[in-house]
Amino acid sequence: LAREDLSAAAELELTLKGAESLAYAESLNNLASIEFSEGRYDAVRELLGQSLQIREAKIEETPELRLDSAYATTINNLGLAHFRQGDLAVAKSYFERAVALRQEVYPQPHPEQAQSLTNLGLVLDALGQSDDALKPLTQALDIRLAALGGEHMRVAESLNNLGMLHLSAARFQDAEAQYREALPIVENALGPD
């Protein structure tokens, strides 16, 4: 049902505002979110690729649109689609762009910054660059602590990501420390069971 509604909304935006409108680009992003949730990453890449082309054409006309949060989100999500399909080098390039944009879009610590940094760290680790992955994953934790507070599940997620990174690099004491820090946050939020 959601796919049909979002498809209808995209068609309506296309008809009313045209294939080069930001409203149509946003409707493509919305439709891509359904495809993403169902694991249809080729469709996600196609929809977000169209959205990105529209946005980049608009940016040529109006450069300040480069700092539109939706533009950074489109780039980040394209990286996720490539990451899920194992296209790690392309995913890395999208995540690097998203990190740089989100640092400009959000001048204060913001969860969206942390998400792109997390994605970059995870793809670096998947590429076998665990030493390089440590910096963005640590930055993501710091931003989440500042923006969300120490008891938020996203903070536990960042601690867990760092634990997994240390574990994969055979830094077992560091991994255990990260996991032990994450565990009470998870238990507090979700209960001990």
Side-chain angles (χ1 to χ4, degrees):
L1 183 61
R3 175 182 279 107
E4 291 80 19
D5 290 345
L6 290 173
S7 292
E11 288 299 318
L12 188 59
E13 294 292 2
L14 179 61
T15 302
L16 294 176
K17 302 208 175 146
E20 298 174 4
S21 71
L22 289 175
Y24 181 57
E26 188 60 29
S27 67
L28 293 172
N29 281 23
N30 294 338
L31 192 52
S33 67
I34 296 295
E35 301 294 353
F36 197 92
S37 69
E38 295 182 0
R40 297 179 186 173
Y41 303 119
D42 285 333
V44 171
R45 286 167 54 174
E46 182 180 333
L47 291 164
L48 292 180
Q50 283 181 267
S51 178
L52 188 62
Q53 285 179 339
I54 294 166
R55 291 180 189 284
E56 289 180 341
K58 290 292 184 188
I59 288 168
E60 285 182 23
E61 299 168 10
T62 312
E64 58 268 18
L65 288 175
R66 188 179 73 77
L67 296 182
D68 180 357
S69 62
Y71 177 55
T73 298
T74 300
I75 291 169
N76 182 75
N77 292 347
L78 264 167
L80 282 172
H82 282 276
F83 191 17
R84 293 285 172 91
Q85 289 188 306
D87 196 352
L88 302 181
V90 174
K92 178 180 175 262
S93 70
Y94 279 118
F95 292 148
E96 288 170 337
R97 285 177 64 192
V99 165
L101 274 171
R102 283 180 164 168
Q103 297 291 27
E104 287 185 75
V105 171
Y106 305 105
Q108 301 297 319
H110 192 282
E112 295 295 328
Q113 293 169 321
Q115 192 57 54
S116 290
L117 286 162
T118 296
N119 294 338
L120 178 59
L122 294 176
V123 80
L124 287 168
D125 188 39
L127 285 163
Q129 300 170 15
S130 62
D131 289 342
D132 294 332
L134 185 59
K135 182 179 178 184
L137 290 177
T138 301
Q139 288 175 319
L141 173 61
D142 292 343
I143 289 169
R144 285 178 170 163
L145 282 167
L148 303 171
E151 296 302 312
H152 198 278
M153 280 296 292
R154 288 291 187 175
V155 170
E157 176 188 286
S158 284
L159 291 164
N160 188 64
N161 288 336
L162 284 164
M164 289 189 306
L165 179 69
H166 290 308
L167 184 63
S168 70
R171 294 186 297 259
F172 303 119
Q173 288 181 332
D174 292 335
E176 181 180 356
Q178 298 296 311
Y179 292 142
R180 287 190 181 278
E181 198 173 340
L183 185 59
I185 299 170
V186 174
E187 286 179 333
N188 199 30
L190 303 177
D193 296 331

